[in-house]
Amino acid sequence: GSSSKRGRASRACRSGGQALLLACAGLAASSLASHAASVPTPSPGLLSRVGHGPDRSGSPRPGHSAPVSQPVEIRGGPSSSALRRQFLPLLGVGLAGCACAACAPQEARAEAMGAPDPAAALFLPMWMVEYEQAVSAKKAALFDRLLPTLPKEPTIYEIGMGSFPNALYLGSPKAPKGMKVVGIDAVDDMESFAQQNARLTGILDEDRGNSLTLVRGVAESLPVEDKVADAVLSTLSLCSVEDPEKAVSEMRRILKPGGRLLFWEHVLSETDPDLAQRQRRASNPTGRKDGCRLDRRTLETIRAGGFSKVDGDYFELQDFGFVNPTVSGFAVA
């Protein structure tokens, strides 16, 4: 059945992704460290803003009801081959917290879901490398806004850390020293990859005084005390939690007053009714409660989450199928 196919694909991705990561880590270590030392910033026209998503009532916000004529195109910067070498160490199941088969483009997803061997299932981690490569400038700009707001020796929690691809941005020289980074994940099989990526990007360099701790837990019930985090990171994590409203409430609970939630999530299309219909059909067709959901309106959920301020944008990538529609920004506790 579909569940056994998903299980085979997941196991194949895990073994194949880990093997490829280990094979490429030595080649990519120096280039990734150089990339982290100068985190890219978006050039003019690299990404254009499409809209700002719905308000709390679910209605389109004034001035943003008309569909856009063209999706966002991400181009420029280092060559594709060079960036791929930099991102290869970030390979792994759950690379960005969302490497599930449902998030892949439809044709490749169908192939991967029935993949009988690791070679075919390797598409999923490779696809996530392409995704991270494409969005790196936009994500770097988001982290560039977060880092100056952090106090000395901040405490940062990442929900659904996976193999810690965000190490690329927290490893920036703009980041404060003495960071206490805590990753929370429902599974613990990515811990070695997270530690490796933290070392590759310089986060764990002795002179920076940072630490990385990984804790097993779920977003709906974080094993964390109230008001202890200066920042919480959620990047491609809220698509796969069972109760996104509860998860967002938990993130707000652990933030200190004035602390920030940085979010980056794929969502339901607000500009293409046909795509939105296909996203709904593709979301958990077996009726399971777990797994990736393509039909969520996460910006609306965050706006209704009791934060003092939410600054979020809706935009669309190009050539990433169901996960083109995206929201990102900050919510202040």
Side-chain angles (χ1 to χ4, degrees), residues 13-293:
C13 279
R14 181 177 292 110
S15 59
Q18 290 175 349
L20 187 56
L21 187 151
L22 293 173
C24 297
L27 170 67
S30 60
S31 62
L32 181 62
S34 298
H35 186 61
S38 56
V39 178
T41 54
S43 58
L46 186 67
L47 279 167
S48 59
R49 189 172 297 172
V50 174
H52 295 276
D55 61 18
R56 293 188 183 186
S57 68
S59 304
R61 297 179 68 186
H64 297 283
S65 58
V68 295
S69 57
Q70 294 293 333
V72 169
E73 212 170 337
I74 304 181
R75 293 181 180 172
S79 68
S80 177
S81 61
L83 269 175
R84 185 176 289 109
R85 286 196 301 273
Q86 293 166 349
F87 277 100
L88 277 171
L90 304 184
L91 277 171
V93 176
L95 175 95
C98 178
C100 55
C103 292
Q106 188 170 11
E107 295 80 9
R109 176 172 58 90
E111 179 182 352
M113 287 290 284
D117 57 71
L122 261 177
F123 165 81
L124 292 176
M126 285 303 298
W127 179 83
M128 288 305 300
V129 171
E130 295 287 344
Y131 179 90
E132 286 292 326
Q133 170 188 321
V135 303
S136 62
K138 178 76 170 176
K139 283 184 71 175
L142 200 63
F143 276 85
D144 279 351
R145 291 173 57 193
L146 172 69
L147 296 177
T149 70
L150 297 175
K152 293 181 179 179
E153 301 183 351
T155 298
I156 302 170
Y157 281 83
E158 177 162 3
I159 312 304
M161 177 175 277
S163 58
F164 197 17
N166 287 328
L168 190 66
Y169 311 107
L170 289 181
S172 165
K174 301 175 184 178
K177 293 184 178 181
M179 292 187 298
K180 178 185 176 182
V181 182
V182 182
I184 299 180
D185 211 299
V187 297
D188 53 15
D189 56 354
M190 286 290 104
E191 180 173 355
S192 62
F193 295 100
Q195 293 282 356
Q196 181 182 34
N197 288 329
R199 291 191 296 271
L200 286 173
T201 54
I203 289 176
L204 297 182
D205 287 354
E206 188 174 347
D207 62 343
R208 301 184 74 168
N210 301 324
S211 66
L212 173 63
T213 304
L214 289 99
V215 178
R216 190 165 184 175
V218 296
E220 295 92 336
S221 182
L222 296 174
V224 183
E225 295 180 359
D226 294 354
K227 301 179 180 180
V228 296
D230 296 293
V232 172
L233 313 178
S234 176
T235 60
L236 299 184
S237 295
L238 288 170
C239 59
S240 56
V241 300
E242 184 175 336
D243 187 341
E245 288 79 12
K246 178 62 175 174
V248 168
S249 175
E250 281 287 277
M251 295 176 195
R252 179 174 59 84
R253 176 184 66 80
I254 70 171
L255 279 168
K256 297 176 182 177
R260 292 189 174 197
L261 165 64
L262 179 153
F263 60 89
W264 176 290
E265 303 287 345
H266 68 76
V267 294
L268 183 71
S269 175
E270 297 183 7
T271 65
D272 186 338
D274 179 64
L275 174 59
Q277 184 178 25
R278 289 186 288 120
Q279 286 175 304
R280 291 188 179 99
R281 286 201 303 263
S283 291
N284 287 340
T286 61
R288 290 171 48 173
K289 291 185 177 181
D290 60 338
C292 180
R293 294 295 301 251

